[in-house]
Amino acid sequence: GWHELLCHDSTGSVAARARVHVRPGRAVSCQLVAGTNLTGSALVAGQWVAFDMEASDACGNGLSEPVDLSTTGAHQVPTVVCSSCVPSHPPRVVQTSSGSWEVQLMPAISGSHELHISIGPTAAVGSPFTVDVRPGLVQGRRCTVVGLDGTAPFLPSNFTIEARDAFGNRCLRGGHHFSISIAPKGHGHYGKVEEIIDHDTGEYTV
């Protein structure tokens, strides 16, 4: 910020004064913006989430303006590693006009995961964070079928559908709507689907 610089003579009197602007030094630490809580957060696979980080220099001064990466280097940018992310959708770190950093990530693998954030060799305050990733929306093309090995005409049979999201995560709740049909419809006797049982666990018996 702006400060007053006083120059004293040998008698202690002020001989000169000037106003100087002191800019923050190179970023050596970072932390979540106040009010942001990642530990224990419930994220959803396939959905982007964003949060802000504040960087500080060795004297604790916050960076109040964007960093010129052409002169300071990439070591000024926070590094984000999340065990739930996949190479096709890596975390993003975007610099804001206020000097803070917006972290954007899309988890892909469900379960409990660690989120590591650092700037240079220094971990962010509270890192690693533990986040819980829930399965995303059911995608029919990723669902799996168990027990459909074959059957005989006019005999009842059954199989199980395992609901999965776009990344193949098992969905652990019911309430999804599946449409089952039998083809080809040859000879006029192609059978029918009697019942679809929702076990409310992501599994459906047909």
Side-chain angles (χ1 to χ4, degrees):
W2 285 96
H3 298 272
E4 187 174 39
L5 178 64
L6 302 177
C7 297
H8 299 270
D9 59 20
S10 59
T11 66
S13 300
V14 176
R17 65 179 64 207
R19 278 178 56 79
V20 295
H21 183 252
V22 180
R23 301 178 58 184
R26 92 184 256 276
V28 297
S29 64
C30 60
Q31 62 184 10
L32 294 174
V33 169
T36 304
N37 183 23
L38 284 180
T39 301
S41 295
L43 309 180
V44 179
Q47 293 185 10
W48 285 97
V49 62
F51 54 90
D52 290 335
M53 304 288 301
E54 295 175 327
S56 303
D57 65 13
C59 297
N61 298 303
L63 273 63
S64 56
E65 57 187 39
V67 175
D68 184 357
L69 298 179
S70 65
T71 59
T72 59
H75 59 266
Q76 297 277 55
V77 182
T79 300
V80 181
V81 177
C82 182
S83 58
S84 175
C85 295
V86 293
S88 59
H89 297 85
R92 307 170 183 168
V93 181
V94 181
Q95 192 170 196
T96 70
S97 59
S98 63
S100 63
W101 300 92
E102 182 181 75
V103 177
Q104 306 169 353
L105 62 89
M106 185 178 73
I109 304 171
S110 62
S112 180
H113 294 272
E114 286 191 343
L115 174 62
H116 295 259
I117 303 176
S118 61
I119 190 163
T122 307
V125 177
S127 179
F129 305 94
T130 301
V131 295
D132 180 45
V133 180
R134 298 179 302 192
L137 298 176
V138 171
Q139 298 290 321
R141 60 187 177 83
R142 297 304 303 269
C143 295
T144 52
V145 173
V146 179
L148 189 61
D149 300 322
T151 185
F154 304 106
L155 292 178
S157 61
N158 62 73
F159 58 88
T160 300
I161 298 174
E162 296 176 339
R164 297 180 182 272
D165 66 12
F167 291 97
N169 298 304
R170 282 281 304 272
C171 298
L172 305 178
R173 295 183 179 180
H176 311 103
H177 299 284
F178 288 94
S179 177
I180 311 296
S181 61
I182 301 174
K185 299 180 180 180
H187 310 295
H189 300 287
Y190 50 85
K192 64 179 180 178
V193 177
E194 297 282 356
E195 187 179 20
I196 301 177
I197 302 173
D198 182 352
H199 298 287
D200 200 30
T201 59
E203 293 188 348
Y204 300 78
T205 298
V206 181

